[in-house]
Amino acid sequence: MRIAIVHEWFTAIAGSEKVVEQILHLFPQADVFAVHADPETVRNTKFLQGRQVRTSFISKLPRANKSYRSYLPLMPLAVEQFDLSAYDIVISSAHAVAKGVLTGPDQLHISYVHSPIRYAWDLQHQYLRESGLEHGLKGWLAKWLLHKIRIWDYRTAAGVDHFVANSRFIGRRIHKVYGRDSDVIYPPVDVAAFDFCDQKQDYYLTASRLVPYKRMDLIVQAFARMPDKKLVVIGDGPDMPKLQAIASPNVTLLGYQPFAELKRHMQQAKAFVFAAEEDFGITPVEAQACGTPVIAYGKGGSLETVVDSPDPGKATGLWFPEQTAESLMAAVQRFESLPAPISAQVCRQHAERFSVQRFRDEFAGYVDQRWNQFQSTLTRP
């Protein structure tokens, strides 16, 4: 089989890129396409080394490495320029435009969707508000462009034979946006890299990029109002000054930390706190792999990665229902009032459901099944 893998951009290695890494492990002969790829990222990324990543005209535009996102209005055109006619199977890894590649009736297109374009669909108003684009000429231009992208995004869904969602939450979003069903295959989490530890210390941990939608400010605000409880914050980003301004003495802001330090803190924390509405959310699974329970906002992927149950043989954490400091504070109080501590062993066992090997087995089996079905339609008289 001739296989092409299409991804939006390689500028950093995060969750969606780790999915591509495992797909390439399954299909090492595949060719890789991307709207844009930072040459340095490609050189320094093990699974891309020695590969030719075929990019679009976006990579040739001025300041593409730093300002590639500003070329979003051109990306639908860019992804349609890839000539994939020589391939039997096209696998797109999509959170923006990758699923819009052009394929023919004799080609199987499977799209692994991390999310439909968030800032063009249900999160448009939040995006415009956080970008200061609610009003004025720039605001109207942004709204018009997003309107055009929605039309294109919906139309190109017809070119996908099978959608794979990274969570049931994203599956519902796919159905809402495209009117299509999808199959759920959870993304790979490197559970093996996070060693189990059942000896905990008296502090809570949160770790993330410090950007608005992660709601790290909410977590810091909540713990500032609980001075008897210690919070450690790992991560850096544009919201750091804001957190520094509201942090109390019981809140320690460590900034960026190397992996070994992040893991050590995850292993020893009494609980990991997570306040974002994520499509899946890898970090809470990593914490559970360390044997650490999670207190998470009960919406999005957290409803699938964290188990809030009265059964001690199933529980791996607690959900709080609202993105408010008060709701989180109540969840922390409930966590500390549990009749028995959440089992570190149960947390670890649950995390292993999301392992790399599980993803490989499920995705390889899925592609094989869909390819056999597709071939049967080609040979049917």
Side-chain angles (χ1 to χ4, degrees):
M1 296 179 294
R2 295 164 296 177
I3 299 176
I5 297 172
V6 184
H7 188 56
E8 264 96 23
W9 46 74
F10 292 105
T11 57
I13 304 304
S16 61
E17 287 74 30
K18 291 177 181 178
V19 169
V20 174
E21 176 182 9
Q22 297 308 321
I23 295 174
L24 280 170
H25 177 87
L26 295 172
F27 307 109
Q29 79 280 15
D31 291 329
V32 181
F33 295 79
V35 172
H36 174 64
D38 177 5
E40 186 174 350
T41 300
V42 172
R43 282 194 302 270
N44 295 332
T45 302
K46 187 174 181 180
F47 71 88
L48 294 176
Q49 289 173 357
R51 289 185 175 275
Q52 178 188 3
V53 178
R54 308 176 192 198
T55 56
S56 73
F57 66 81
I58 298 289
S59 288
K60 299 178 182 178
L61 296 177
R63 298 177 58 81
N65 285 338
K66 292 185 177 180
S67 304
Y68 63 95
R69 292 178 186 273
S70 65
Y71 293 119
L72 177 65
L74 298 177
M75 288 185 183
L77 175 63
V79 80
E80 290 176 345
Q81 303 313 303
F82 290 135
D83 182 2
L84 305 179
S85 58
Y87 298 94
D88 303 301
I89 299 176
V90 174
I91 300 172
S92 57
S93 163
H95 54 73
V97 299
K99 77 162 187 25
V101 291
L102 303 180
T103 56
D106 293 336
Q107 296 174 286
L108 175 65
H109 181 185
I110 296 172
S111 187
Y112 188 97
V113 177
H114 310 281
S115 176
I117 310 175
R118 300 178 187 91
Y119 33 85
W121 292 100
D122 53 320
L123 298 184
Q124 172 189 283
H125 300 292
Q126 177 183 334
Y127 163 74
L128 293 172
R129 184 169 56 253
E130 292 176 354
S131 303
L133 293 172
E134 290 183 284
H135 309 289
L137 181 59
K138 288 184 178 180
W140 280 108
L141 178 60
K143 293 171 187 176
W144 181 81
L145 288 172
L146 292 173
H147 170 71
K148 291 296 184 181
I149 286 175
R150 278 193 294 276
I151 294 172
W152 176 88
D153 192 36
Y154 178 81
R155 178 186 63 76
T156 57
V160 177
D161 295 293
H162 300 285
F163 281 102
V164 180
N166 73 350
S167 64
R168 294 193 300 274
F169 174 63
I170 291 303
R172 293 194 298 273
R173 190 175 273 171
I174 289 170
H175 190 271
K176 183 78 172 181
V177 170
Y178 304 136
R180 297 281 301 277
D181 292 331
S182 58
D183 300 287
V184 175
I185 298 179
Y186 292 116
V189 181
D190 191 4
V191 173
F194 291 84
D195 302 320
F196 174 78
C197 177
D198 58 2
Q199 301 300 311
K200 304 302 180 182
Q201 297 185 12
D202 187 24
Y203 68 87
Y204 293 85
L205 173 70
T206 187
S208 172
R209 289 179 294 117
L210 305 185
V211 293
Y213 88 93
K214 294 290 187 179
R215 295 312 312 270
M216 301 292 275
D217 59 330
L218 182 156
I219 299 173
V220 172
Q221 287 170 0
F223 277 85
R225 294 166 60 180
M226 298 185 289
D228 59 321
K229 307 184 194 311
K230 297 177 182 177
L231 173 70
V232 175
V233 180
I234 293 179
D236 204 354
D239 272 7
M240 176 61 87
K242 181 179 180 180
L243 300 190
Q244 290 171 332
I246 62 176
S248 53
N250 61 312
V251 175
T252 303
L253 303 175
L254 294 181
Y256 168 80
Q257 294 293 310
F259 175 72
E261 278 301 297
L262 170 64
K263 182 170 72 171
R264 182 177 70 82
H265 280 87
M266 272 190 176
Q267 290 171 317
Q268 297 177 357
K270 65 194 303 182
F272 184 85
V273 185
F274 190 74
E277 180 185 338
E278 286 280 19
D279 306 326
F280 174 74
I282 288 177
T283 314
V285 178
E286 294 171 339
Q288 291 171 80
C290 294
T292 300
V294 178
I295 300 173
Y297 175 46
K299 193 172 180 182
S302 294
L303 294 177
E304 299 169 59
T305 60
V306 179
V307 181
D308 185 341
S309 171
D311 184 346
K314 296 180 180 179
T316 69
L318 301 177
W319 301 319
F320 56 95
E322 299 175 353
Q323 273 184 319
T324 64
E326 291 78 10
S327 186
L328 173 54
M329 291 167 65
V332 171
Q333 296 296 341
R334 183 160 70 97
F335 176 78
E336 296 198 346
S337 302
L338 290 172
I342 292 174
S343 167
Q345 288 81 5
V346 172
C347 290
R348 174 69 187 197
Q349 291 166 5
H350 178 66
E352 288 172 348
R353 296 181 55 234
F354 304 97
S355 69
V356 168
Q357 189 59 52
R358 182 272 324 160
F359 175 85
R360 291 176 180 176
D361 293 342
E362 290 185 10
F363 196 78
Y366 185 86
V367 173
D368 187 57
Q369 175 194 19
R370 292 305 189 184
W371 175 243
N372 289 334
Q373 291 174 347
F374 185 71
Q375 282 188 306
S376 70
T377 65
L378 295 179
T379 58
R380 189 178 300 155

